[in-house]
Amino acid sequence: MVPTRTRDGTTDRGVARSADALLARVTRASAGRTAGILLCAAAAAAASLALPAVLGLTLDLLLEGHPDAGRALAAAVALTAADVALDAAVALLAGTVGARSTAWLRLRAVRRLLAAAPQDVSRFSPGDVATRLSAHATEAGAAPAGAAQIVAAVLAPAGALVALFVIDPWIGLAFVLGLPLLGLLLRSFARHSSDSVSRYQRVQSLIATRLTDALGGARAIAAAGTVDEERARVLLPLGELGTEGRRMWSVHGSAMARSGVLMPLLITAVLAVGGFGLADGRISVGDLLAVSRYAALAAGLGSVAGPLGALVRGRTAARRVNALLTVPPLAHGRTELPPGGPGALELRGVGVNLDGVWVLRGVDLRVPGGRTVAVVGRSGSGKSTLGAVAGRLTAPDEGEVRLDGVPLDAVAADVLRREVGYAFERPSLQGATVGDAIASGVETAPVERVRAAARAAGADDFVRALPRGYATPLDEAPLSGGELQRLGLARAFAHAGRLMILDDATSSLDTATERQVDRALAREVRPGTRVVIAHRLSTAARADLVVWLDGGRVRAVRTHAELWRDPDYRAAFGHTDASDGRGNR
């Protein structure tokens, strides 16, 4: 059979091998505790195997009235207690290994996603990422302990089978004759369970994706009065989820039912052969008691379906988690930028291809250090992509970007993030308090710089009006869209380097506040180059230069006043008259 290929060109077998390699790394990360599971399980198996023999001996001694019967009985009690304690230790270690493995997977997946270029991460929806990091990481994290428990589940039955042969070869042979049926049963369970679990997990991610999209557009849905329709859309895959869930548990239940019939039949056959052996004088009454116990232990091989199912689910989930870990990280070098550089930015033949479409192509641009440049163009012209490439939030597919003469791909990551700042339309703030959110960055900004940055961004007044000022917990601060943007700007100002990129970062500000921010950028924030993704005429008019993008290419680089004479430029702002964009002719 020809292996199928996934969307990125890898084969199913390659994906499976990669996921298995991931589970091997997870297992090594908790090697000590996993080894503890195996050791405790081996000791529990030894106690379980010794107990039937000791019980059989105890019965024979009691029937004979032997004085050592009491000591044999005490040994049986001690073995029983040891078996219980060791089983509890296995359960505790398995839970610990599962929790540590899950944390290991989540931490590395989040690190990889944060280190990757946005366009490489965007193929996963937020809901899909959340499902992979939560439910699927938990199932994958349980796989190492599940594998150890499978080994443990085999130890006692294998030892019991050997004990049956030692007591009487015919008894052991009677049990062995049923093992091929058990092997076929477990093989069928593993194959069918893997398929059903994979489909179930895909539908889980689909529902999470639709729910996340609905929550993000909750206001629009409410305003349109389409709540019922949206609810139906989100819940539509529930039918498929139910079908796959029933199929998954049907496979599991069928395997358990078949093993539930097969194992008692095997035990009955073994006891029948043992009865004949007792009648023939080959074994004693105590041996028959031991045979009954060993047969029950050997029949426990059927219970391996439980941990085997957990391992199958874990392997399938590992494939989905591994897809996050194989997102290529954005490459960085180790070079420093020249000290005191003005922030001169240069793009040479830059092109960016997203899903087969060239969003930018052949972009050549030189921005002198210390200048403010507005990037304008119609929706979809590549403005935000140019901003992302300029600060290496993403890498170009062709061409090169330089900052103060140094290629950005050669600059060390910490240097780049310290010298290139961003502010976005919808900033994501991190930190326990409002002050922490402004201070957070590659380096934590001191209190004095935090407050100066807040004043420059027009945020100081409303922050002071909060119940605890800058110490107000971030999740308790009622922030409007404009206030959130001002905090994002304040964070960018507090960490200002030689290059700052503002991607529609003032769209929610009123005109007066926007002008205050512009003045602060010119006078109060560290001097440097500003690249402003602009949608407002006023922003373009105040910039030193305007970069006019059209269809992913630079159409012109001039002042706003010069460009305004071009009707196509005016049309990009929705204007057709020849005023300068501020009502002047």
Side-chain angles (χ1 to χ4, degrees):
M1 179 181 292
V2 178
T4 58
R5 291 187 175 274
T6 59
R7 291 168 57 186
D8 61 358
T10 58
T11 64
D12 287 341
R13 292 177 183 174
V15 171
R17 284 195 296 268
S18 181
D20 289 342
L22 172 63
L23 290 180
R25 290 167 56 201
V26 174
T27 301
R28 287 195 296 271
S30 297
R33 288 176 172 80
T34 304
I37 293 175
L38 292 173
L39 290 175
C40 290
S48 298
L49 291 171
L51 184 58
V54 172
L55 286 174
L57 175 63
T58 301
L59 180 58
D60 286 339
L61 292 176
L62 287 172
L63 291 175
E64 296 172 6
H66 198 284
D68 290 337
R71 284 195 293 271
L73 182 60
V77 172
L79 286 171
T80 301
D83 190 17
V84 172
L86 289 167
D87 284 342
V90 168
L92 176 62
L93 286 171
T96 303
V97 168
R100 289 174 61 88
S101 298
T102 300
W104 190 94
L105 286 168
R106 288 173 176 166
L107 179 62
R108 278 154 182 78
V110 169
R111 284 177 176 172
R112 177 55 63 92
L113 291 175
L114 293 177
Q119 73 266 24
D120 292 326
V121 178
S122 62
R123 63 190 178 95
F124 302 102
S125 69
D128 187 22
V129 170
T131 303
R132 292 175 192 248
L133 290 177
S134 55
H136 299 164
T138 300
E139 290 179 329
Q149 287 175 313
I150 289 175
V151 174
V154 171
L155 290 176
L161 181 58
V162 172
L164 289 176
F165 273 101
V166 170
I167 293 173
D168 185 75
W170 291 106
I171 295 175
L173 183 61
F175 190 90
V176 167
L177 290 176
L179 289 181
L181 292 175
L182 179 61
L184 290 174
L185 172 66
L186 293 176
R187 181 173 180 273
S188 174
F189 168 72
R191 184 176 67 252
H192 291 98
S193 181
S194 178
D195 293 339
S196 60
V197 168
S198 179
R199 290 191 294 268
Y200 184 85
Q201 290 175 346
R202 282 198 296 268
V203 180
Q204 272 186 319
S205 290
L206 176 60
I207 293 176
T209 296
R210 293 188 176 188
L211 178 59
T212 304
D213 292 343
L215 291 174
R219 289 190 299 176
I221 293 168
T226 58
V227 174
D228 292 338
E229 291 84 350
E230 190 64 21
R231 182 189 300 115
R233 185 187 74 86
V234 172
L235 299 181
L236 182 62
L238 273 181
E240 185 181 357
L241 186 71
T243 299
E244 297 301 339
R246 286 190 294 272
R247 181 179 292 125
M248 182 172 63
W249 291 111
S250 175
V251 170
H252 185 270
S254 175
M256 297 303 293
R258 291 175 185 176
S259 64
V261 172
L262 179 60
M263 292 296 100
L265 288 176
L266 281 176
I267 293 174
T268 301
V270 167
L271 289 177
V273 174
F276 285 117
L278 179 63
D280 293 342
R282 296 197 311 270
I283 62 174
S284 66
V285 175
D287 289 337
L288 184 60
L289 174 62
V291 165
S292 68
R293 300 279 301 192
Y294 282 129
L297 280 175
L301 192 60
S303 66
V304 77
L308 179 60
L311 180 60
V312 168
R313 291 193 298 275
R315 288 188 68 209
T316 306
R319 297 183 186 185
R320 300 185 64 77
V321 177
N322 193 52
L324 303 180
L325 289 166
T326 53
V327 175
L330 192 61
H332 294 283
R334 299 182 178 180
T335 304
E336 296 280 341
L337 289 170
L345 179 66
E346 184 178 4
L347 281 70
R348 300 179 177 179
V350 166
V352 177
N353 189 299
L354 299 181
D355 297 326
V357 177
W358 287 98
V359 182
L360 292 177
R361 194 70 186 267
V363 174
D364 291 304
L365 177 64
R366 292 183 179 180
V367 180
R371 298 290 185 88
T372 296
V373 175
V375 181
V376 305
R378 293 180 181 273
S379 177
S381 60
K383 300 186 296 296
S384 291
T385 303
L386 187 145
V389 168
R392 199 166 175 77
L393 283 185
T394 190
D397 294 291
E398 61 182 24
E400 183 182 60
V401 182
R402 289 174 172 261
L403 182 60
D404 286 331
V406 181
L408 285 189
D409 58 357
V411 179
D414 59 335
V415 174
L416 194 62
R417 296 282 72 89
R418 187 169 58 246
E419 293 291 344
V420 180
Y422 275 89
F424 298 99
E425 178 184 6
R426 296 180 180 177
S428 176
L429 301 177
Q430 308 295 327
T433 66
V434 172
D436 292 339
I438 299 174
S440 64
V442 175
E443 298 174 347
T444 301
V447 174
E448 299 78 11
R449 195 191 307 166
V450 165
R451 303 202 173 186
R455 286 192 295 271
D460 183 65
D461 289 341
F462 78 79
V463 171
R464 288 181 179 276
L466 291 172
R468 296 171 61 185
Y470 286 88
T472 302
L474 190 59
D475 56 0
E476 296 179 13
L479 300 174
S480 66
E483 289 170 341
L484 187 65
Q485 275 198 346
R486 279 181 273 177
L487 288 182
L489 286 167
R491 181 177 62 185
F493 293 172
H495 300 276
R498 66 185 71 192
L499 173 63
M500 185 179 298
I501 300 168
L502 309 180
D503 189 351
D504 206 18
T506 60
S507 60
S508 296
L509 304 186
D510 57 74
T511 303
T513 303
E514 185 183 19
R515 289 182 176 176
Q516 175 188 344
V517 169
D518 284 341
R519 287 193 296 270
L521 271 172
R523 303 171 186 172
E524 302 175 33
V525 181
R526 171 183 166 176
T529 303
R530 323 294 191 203
V531 176
V532 184
I533 311 302
H535 293 85
R536 291 179 177 178
L537 281 171
S538 57
T539 304
R542 289 194 296 269
D544 298 320
L545 288 172
V546 174
V547 177
W548 178 16
L549 288 181
D550 188 8
R553 297 179 181 273
V554 176
R555 184 161 171 175
V557 180
R558 297 175 190 167
T559 65
H560 172 74
E562 292 172 325
L563 289 173
W564 193 253
R565 302 188 186 100
D566 191 322
D568 290 342
Y569 178 78
R570 297 197 299 272
F573 290 96
H575 280 251
T576 56
D577 59 74
S579 67
D580 65 0
R582 291 171 290 180
N584 302 318
R585 289 184 179 272

